[in-house]
């Protein structure tokens, strides 16, 4: 009996409220810095600090001569430190828990390391005078960090057991395809952005793609994504997967809202306020797609992982 209890203690979730809140704060902070980064671009402040890592050749901070553009750009750089502190606090919270959870720690470290990596790419965008391809990579790097932060948030409340599918394999494959199309739509969206206005600075180059043609490709990808999401809803309902169905419904609703913003901004000549809303919507679409992916599997308590520590279990004395 003591052996069973000890194994259950090994595999159950041990996250606690603090770690859960820090993981959620990390998602919010990383989404927030995408939005503020968009504000830098939309106010033409991308070169408010014309070099990196300094703000000017002689100063790490903005100067009065740089005006409001320097303040906006420098403020966004400072927010990176705030996001990094949240990620560091999350890593420390994971390390403070006993027993140590290797999978959770890996995700927490990935989020923490992703933030300086994303900042370096942001610095390269400045050093390349806002090259549109590098700007797009900067956005996609943020999406990768958000994905890792979401996985961490979901993982902290799961037991350390093997995943169990809750829908048939073909539907899990369909969910993966939907996630893949979501990523493709985000990538093409950066091409659309790089071909249009709001370059981040009045003198920044564009990527040379025809805005109308690449916008049509992007719209086609959105239509495909919506179609896949509708298919997921009916398929999940058919097999009685209520949680997965709800996640797919949320994904569809977010996609429709994002699509509406996209169409309105296109036909109103891309006003800055709608571009900012569209960037926020991109983050929400990614999170909703990941939620669908997560809803197709679960980890159930009471069954140790293969490495779950047969050694630890054997070391526990067996008594009646």
């Amino acid at each position: 009996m003591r052996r069973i209890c000890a194994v259950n203690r090994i595999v159950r979730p041990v996250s606690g409220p603090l770690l859960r809140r820090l993981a959620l704060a990390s998602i919010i902070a990383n989404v927030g810095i995408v939005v503020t980064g968009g504000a830098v671009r939309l106010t033409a402040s991308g070169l408010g600090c014309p070099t990196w890592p300094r703000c000017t050749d002689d100063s790490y901070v903005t100067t009065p001569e740089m005006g409001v553009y320097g303040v906006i750009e420098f403020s966004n750089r400072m927010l990176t430190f705030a996001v990094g502190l949240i990620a560091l606090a999350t890593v420390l919270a994971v390390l403070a828990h006993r027993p140590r959870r290797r999978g959770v720690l890996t995700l927490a470290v990935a989020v923490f390391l992703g933030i300086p990596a994303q900042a370096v790419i942001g610095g390269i965008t400045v050093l390349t005078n806002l090259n549109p391809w590098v700007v797009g990579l900067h956005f996609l790097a943020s999406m990768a960090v958000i994905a890792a932060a979401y996985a961490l948030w979901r993982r902290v409340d799961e037991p350390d057991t093997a995943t169990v599918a809750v829908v048939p394999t073909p539907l899990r494959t369909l969910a993966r395809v939907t996630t893949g199309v979501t990523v493709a739509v985000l990538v093409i969206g950066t091409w659309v952005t790089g071909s249009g206005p709001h370059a981040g600075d009045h003198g920044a180059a564009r990527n040379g793609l025809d805005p109308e043609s690449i916008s049509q490709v992007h719209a086609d990808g959105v239509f495909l994504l919506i179609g896949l999401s509708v298919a997921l809803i009916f398929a999940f309902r058919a097999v009685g997967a209520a949680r997965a169905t709800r996640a797919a419904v949320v994904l569809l609703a977010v996609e429709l809202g994002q699509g509406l913003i996209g169409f309105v901004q296109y036909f109103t000549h891309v006003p800055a306020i709608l571009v900012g809303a569209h960037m926020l919507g991109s983050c929400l679409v990614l999170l909703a797609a990941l939620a669908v992916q997560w809803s197709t599997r679960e980890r159930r308590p009471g069954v140790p992982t293969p490495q779950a520590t047969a050694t630890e279990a054997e070391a526990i004395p067996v008594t009646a």
Side-chain angles (χ1 to χ4, degrees), residues 109-156:
V109 171
V111 173
F112 176 67
L113 295 180
I115 292 167
Q118 189 260 16
V120 169
I121 297 172
I124 295 172
T125 67
V126 173
L127 297 177
T128 57
N129 293 316
L130 306 183
N131 180 291
W133 300 106
V134 183
V135 171
L137 180 60
H138 186 44
F139 172 79
L140 294 174
S142 293
M143 294 295 103
V145 175
I146 289 171
Y150 179 82
L152 172 64
W153 178 62
R154 294 297 299 263
R155 190 72 181 82
V156 293

Side-chain angles (χ1 to χ4, degrees), residues 222-314:
V222 171
F223 288 135
L224 174 60
L225 182 57
I226 290 174
L228 289 170
S229 300
V230 172
L232 281 173
I233 292 171
F234 284 104
F236 288 153
R237 287 186 65 184
V239 298
R243 185 166 65 97
T245 301
R246 288 193 298 271
V249 168
V250 171
L251 173 61
L252 178 61
V254 174
E255 290 166 354
L256 292 175
Q258 175 74 335
L260 177 61
I261 294 171
F263 277 110
V264 172
Q265 76 171 6
Y266 180 79
F267 289 110
T268 55
H269 307 293
V270 202
I273 185 68
L274 288 182
V275 176
H278 202 54
M279 293 185 69
L280 173 60
S282 297
C283 299
L284 298 181
V285 169
L286 175 64
L287 291 170
L290 293 173
V292 171
Q293 191 69 53
W294 225 264
S295 71
T296 63
R297 32 71 77 209
E298 63 182 22
R299 296 175 188 267
R300 295 168 183 168
V303 181
T305 53
Q307 59 270 46
T309 79
T311 9
E312 292 178 0
E314 287 167 4

Side-chain angles (χ1 to χ4, degrees), residues 32-80:
I33 204 165
V34 169
V35 175
T36 59
V40 171
R41 181 168 59 85
L42 296 170
T43 57
S45 302
L47 294 178
C49 287
T51 188
W52 186 88
R54 295 174 183 264
C55 192
T56 70
D57 289 335
D58 302 317
S59 174
Y60 280 99
V61 300
T62 185
T63 62
E65 294 77 18
M66 301 170 71
V68 66
Y69 298 118
V71 172
I72 293 172
E73 162 67 2
F74 183 72
S75 297
N76 188 63
R77 293 187 182 189
M78 291 300 97
L79 283 175
T80 301

Side-chain angles (χ1 to χ4, degrees), residues 10-11 16 25 77 83 121 129 147 149 158 209 216 235 296 308 314:
I10 292 170
V11 300
R77 293 187 182 189
V83 177
I121 297 172
N129 293 316
E158 289 184 333
L209 299 175
Q216 184 60 58
T296 63
E314 287 167 4

Side-chain angles (χ1 to χ4, degrees), residues 93-231:
V94 174
L95 289 172
H97 274 282
R98 293 293 182 273
R100 183 75 51 79
R101 301 184 66 193
R102 185 177 302 172
V104 176
L105 179 60
T106 299
L107 286 169
V109 171
V111 173
F112 176 67
L113 295 180
I115 292 167
Q118 189 260 16
V120 169
I121 297 172
I124 295 172
T125 67
V126 173
L127 297 177
T128 57
N129 293 316
L130 306 183
N131 180 291
W133 300 106
V134 183
V135 171
L137 180 60
H138 186 44
F139 172 79
L140 294 174
S142 293
M143 294 295 103
V145 175
I146 289 171
Y150 179 82
L152 172 64
W153 178 62
R154 294 297 299 263
R155 190 72 181 82
V156 293
D157 280 333
E158 289 184 333
D160 293 328
T161 58
T163 57
V164 177
V166 296
V167 299
T169 300
L171 297 191
R172 294 198 73 190
T173 301
L174 182 59
R176 293 190 187 100
V177 170
T178 303
T179 303
V181 172
T182 301
V183 173
V185 167
L186 293 174
V187 172
I188 298 171
T190 66
W191 301 349
V192 175
T193 298
S195 69
H198 307 302
D201 185 80
H202 299 299
R206 302 285 72 205
N207 61 21
L209 299 175
D210 177 59
E212 186 173 345
S213 299
I214 197 62
S215 294
Q216 184 60 58
V217 173
H218 184 57
D220 291 342
V222 171
F223 288 135
L224 174 60
L225 182 57
I226 290 174
L228 289 170
S229 300
V230 172

